[in-house]
Amino acid sequence: MESWIINLIVQAVAGAAGGTGAGAVLKDASMGKPADAITGAIGGGVVGQILASVLGGAAGGDVAGMSVGSLVQDIVGGGVGGAVVMAIVGMLRNAMMKR
């Protein structure tokens, strides 16, 4: 498989975990676990790709053809991106529902 697709999968999975975790912590912004996970996965993939293009390849040892630094960057970027995007979408949804 191409390395960019593996990175995107890692970012999306980390984003889903970040979105679900943020939904558990931010009860007011939560849209339900499935919606939190989907929103987090989308946010993790998008923010992770932006972060990867801005920061470039991270330094680190190679494990099975993948850089450890790049893998950590994908996990952290995807998780944080998923949590932030889920929180923003949840808050916007709640603000629109009050109208």
Side-chain angles (χ1 to χ4, degrees):
M1 241 196 258
E2 297 289 326
S3 67
W4 68 270
I5 209 144
I6 294 172
N7 292 345
L8 185 61
I9 291 169
V10 169
Q11 292 161 354
V13 170
T20 304
V25 172
L26 304 170
K27 299 285 187 197
D28 293 337
S30 179
M31 301 173 286
K33 287 191 190 262
D36 291 347
I38 292 168
T39 306
I42 293 168
V46 170
V47 172
Q49 288 296 307
I50 292 170
L51 187 64
S53 67
V54 168
L55 296 179
D62 286 346
V63 175
M66 288 189 65
S67 168
V68 174
S70 177
L71 185 61
V72 170
Q73 176 182 324
D74 290 341
I75 292 171
V76 172
V80 171
V84 169
V85 169
M86 190 290 307
I88 291 171
V89 169
M91 288 179 197
L92 287 173
R93 179 182 166 265
N94 288 342
M96 292 175 65
M97 295 292 280
K98 290 181 182 176
R99 293 182 126 185

